[in-house]
């Protein structure tokens, strides 16, 4: 599936100076992500925990577990808001042909769906 990040990748690569510097940055970020994921898996195995907040609690204590939960919630909120903003621009374009239909038909269809 193509998401907004995949569609904006050419723009991001262009902003980084072209395909070569952008591709290099992409590889570096990928390697760092894989390394961080490996560290999380190793810590989970060491502490016998399966969930990220539990690993943080076992490794660093309750304050960091709470911080982890808050940051994960913030990331989810930002993702949800970005999708809502994207839909706000897309839905009017998709529904513009419906303005030509009679109002009673639109209201009937809306009532049937709900």
């Amino acid at each position: 599936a193509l998401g907004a990040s995949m569609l904006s990748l050419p723009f991001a690569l262009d902003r980084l100076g072209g395909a070569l510097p952008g591709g290099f940055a992409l590889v570096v970020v990928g390697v760092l992500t894989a390394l961080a994921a490996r560290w999380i898996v190793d810590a989970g195995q060491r502490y016998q925990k399966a969930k990220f907040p539990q690993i943080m609690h076992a490794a660093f204590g309750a304050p960091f577990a709470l911080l982890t939960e808050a940051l994960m919630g913030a990331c989810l909120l930002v993702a949800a808001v970005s999708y809502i903003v994207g839909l706000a621009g897309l839905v009017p374009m998709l529904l513009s042909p419906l303005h030509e239909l009679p109002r009673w038909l639109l209201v009937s269809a809306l009532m049937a769906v709900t």
Side-chain angles (χ1 to χ4, degrees):
L2 288 177
S5 61
M6 289 301 291
L7 296 174
S8 63
L9 190 58
F11 175 74
L13 292 178
D14 183 53
R15 298 285 289 180
L16 286 171
L20 192 59
F24 178 73
L26 202 57
V27 168
V28 168
V29 169
V31 167
L32 291 175
T33 301
L35 183 62
R38 184 70 222 163
W39 287 342
I40 293 169
V41 169
D42 289 344
Q45 290 172 345
R46 182 179 322 131
Y47 295 111
Q48 300 293 313
K49 304 293 182 188
K51 296 183 179 177
F52 188 66
Q54 293 173 345
I55 296 169
M56 291 299 291
H57 187 276
F60 301 111
F64 281 101
L66 183 61
L67 177 65
T68 300
E69 291 283 348
L71 290 174
M72 288 171 68
C75 286
L76 290 172
L77 178 66
V78 168
V81 168
S82 69
Y83 278 110
I84 290 171
V85 168
L87 283 175
L90 183 63
V91 168
M93 267 190 337
L94 293 175
L95 298 180
S96 63
L98 297 178
H99 290 295
E100 299 169 3
L101 295 175
R103 187 166 182 84
W104 66 268
L105 183 61
L106 293 174
V107 172
S108 301
L110 182 62
M111 290 175 61
V113 171
T114 58

